[in-house]
Amino acid sequence: MLNFYRVLAGKLQPLQPIWLLLALASLGWLVYLLLLAPVDVSQRWQLSALVSFAFMLNMMLITLLFANQPTPANATNYWHKLQQRLKWLMQALLAWLITILFLIIFWLFLRIAMGIIAPLIL
């Protein structure tokens, strides 16, 4: 899983300014919906603005956390080996956390599709 996120981060890193602009745009959209929009419009589009903002933040997290690969150093004593293993463990936990966040975002997207888009089509 770590290799997958490292490769993905390497491919997404040149697009990082675009992810930042899209995240700011979706945040602005969310703030508008929360503070200025009429109630019926706000209730209809709040979840989609929140999901798009969460997706953009997740993409930025991938590029920030996994773009730099740790260099494997030849650890000679116990403490250096322990440090390397703890770094690997923390990266693995971050990879699992990002995967869980993507699953939650996907589930919320499906709720949007069923709640908003399906009535528009039917």
Side-chain angles (χ1 to χ4, degrees):
M1 182 184 302
L2 287 176
N3 288 333
F4 169 74
Y5 279 122
R6 286 183 184 138
V7 169
L8 185 63
K11 291 181 181 181
L12 293 177
Q13 193 167 17
L15 302 173
Q16 192 171 9
I18 295 172
W19 296 121
L20 179 63
L21 289 175
L22 290 174
L24 290 175
S26 61
L27 180 63
W29 182 30
L30 182 63
V31 168
Y32 167 74
L33 288 173
L34 288 174
L35 300 177
L36 301 172
V39 175
D40 58 335
V41 173
S42 177
Q43 287 177 352
R44 174 171 264 202
W45 296 105
Q46 252 178 1
L47 186 59
S48 61
L50 184 65
V51 168
S52 64
F53 181 63
F55 179 76
M56 297 306 158
L57 282 182
N58 234 7
M59 297 305 280
M60 287 176 53
L61 270 177
I62 288 174
T63 58
L64 290 175
L65 294 176
F66 296 106
N68 300 328
Q69 296 181 4
T71 57
N74 293 333
T76 55
N77 62 11
Y78 175 75
W79 295 111
H80 289 290
K81 288 180 184 178
L82 181 65
Q83 242 180 356
Q84 285 181 347
R85 289 183 181 165
L86 285 176
K87 285 179 186 177
W88 180 83
L89 176 67
M90 289 300 148
Q91 279 197 339
L93 288 175
L94 283 171
W96 277 106
L97 178 69
I98 287 176
T99 302
I100 290 170
L101 288 174
F102 267 125
L103 290 173
I104 291 170
I105 289 169
F106 182 70
W107 179 72
L108 287 172
F109 172 75
L110 290 177
R111 285 195 62 189
I112 292 169
M114 293 305 292
I116 295 174
I117 298 170
L120 292 175
I121 295 172
L122 301 175

